[in-house]
Amino acid sequence: MPVKSKILGFDMDGVIVDNSQLKLKIAKSLGFNLAPFQTPAEIIKKIMAPEMLRKLQLAIYHNPLISIEAPLMPGIVSLLGEISSAKIPYFLISRRLEPEIAIGLLKKRGIWPKYFNESNALFVITPEDKNTNAKRLGVTHYVDDETKILSVLEDVPNKFLFDHLNVFPESNNYTKVASHEELAKYFL
Ligand SMILES: [Mg+2]
C-alpha cells in the first residue's frame, strides 16, 4: 500500500485519449483551419460557432466510426500499469453521453477491461456530477483537461490540469502537467 493513501480519478477525453488530430480533421471538413494549440475544448469553443462546434462534437463523440480513430495520449498505458502495480485505486469519471462508444474506443486501444472496466468507470452528465461522484468515491487526486471542470471539483483536494499542448496559465486552483510522465510524479 502507498504510504499516504491516494485515490485517483481520470477524465477520458484530452487525458486518456487524444482527440486533437481528429478535431483538426473534422474542423477542416467544416471549413476551419485550426492549429493544434486551438484544439483544447475550452479554446475551440471560442473559435467555432455553437452550431459548428456541435457538428464537430457529434462526429468525435457520437459517431462510432469517427470516435474509434482517436489514439491514446502518450504515456497513459505505462502510467496505468504502474498505478495498478502499486495497487493505488483509480477511477474513470467521464461525461461521455454514449458510454458504449467510449468503451468501444477503450477496448480497441487495449485498456478496457485491462485497466478500466465496469468496476471503476463512471459516465456522468454534468461537471457537478464529477464532483459528487469523486466525493462519494473518496478521490484525492483528479486530472482533467478543462479548467471549468477542475473549478467545480470542490471536494477533491488535489486537482491537475492535463495541458499537453501547454496553452493554459498556471493557477492556484490546480497543478498543471504537460505529460503523463509528469503526472506520474504526483499520482504514484
Ligand atoms: Mg476532457
Side-chain angles (χ1 to χ4, degrees), residues 3 39 98 103 128 137-138 144 159 180:
V3 179
T39 57
E98 295 194 72
I103 292 167
E128 289 73 22
L137 298 165
D144 205 287
K159 296 179 266 270
H180 284 301

Side-chain angles (χ1 to χ4, degrees), residues 7-11 16 88-93 116 119-122 133 137-139 141-142:
I7 300 180
L8 311 175
F10 289 88
D11 173 41
I16 292 169
I88 302 168
Y90 63 96
F91 296 91
L92 172 69
I93 310 178
F116 293 109
S119 70
N120 69 348
L122 288 88
N133 282 281
L137 298 165
V139 170
H141 295 59
Y142 189 85

Side-chain angles (χ1 to χ4, degrees), residues 11 13-14 144-146:
D11 173 41
D13 292 292
D144 205 287
D145 64 321
E146 293 187 55

Side-chain angles (χ1 to χ4, degrees), residues 143-185:
V143 59
D144 205 287
D145 64 321
E146 293 187 55
T147 63
K148 85 166 186 203
I149 303 290
L150 296 177
S151 71
V152 301
L153 296 181
E154 289 168 13
D155 295 295
V156 177
N158 304 286
K159 296 179 266 270
F160 297 85
L161 181 72
F162 197 82
D163 183 11
H164 70 125
L165 299 167
N166 199 20
V167 291
F168 291 96
E170 302 282 349
S171 161
N172 292 331
N173 189 43
Y174 52 72
T175 303
K176 204 167 100 107
V177 294
S179 67
H180 284 301
E181 287 73 18
E182 197 180 346
L183 187 62
K185 293 179 203 159

Side-chain angles (χ1 to χ4, degrees), residues 30 37 41 45 48 52 65 103 106 110 120 123-124 142 166:
L30 295 169
F37 76 88
K45 74 180 179 195
M48 294 177 76
M52 285 296 180
L65 299 175
I103 292 167
L106 299 178
N120 69 348
F123 294 94
V124 303
Y142 189 85
N166 199 20

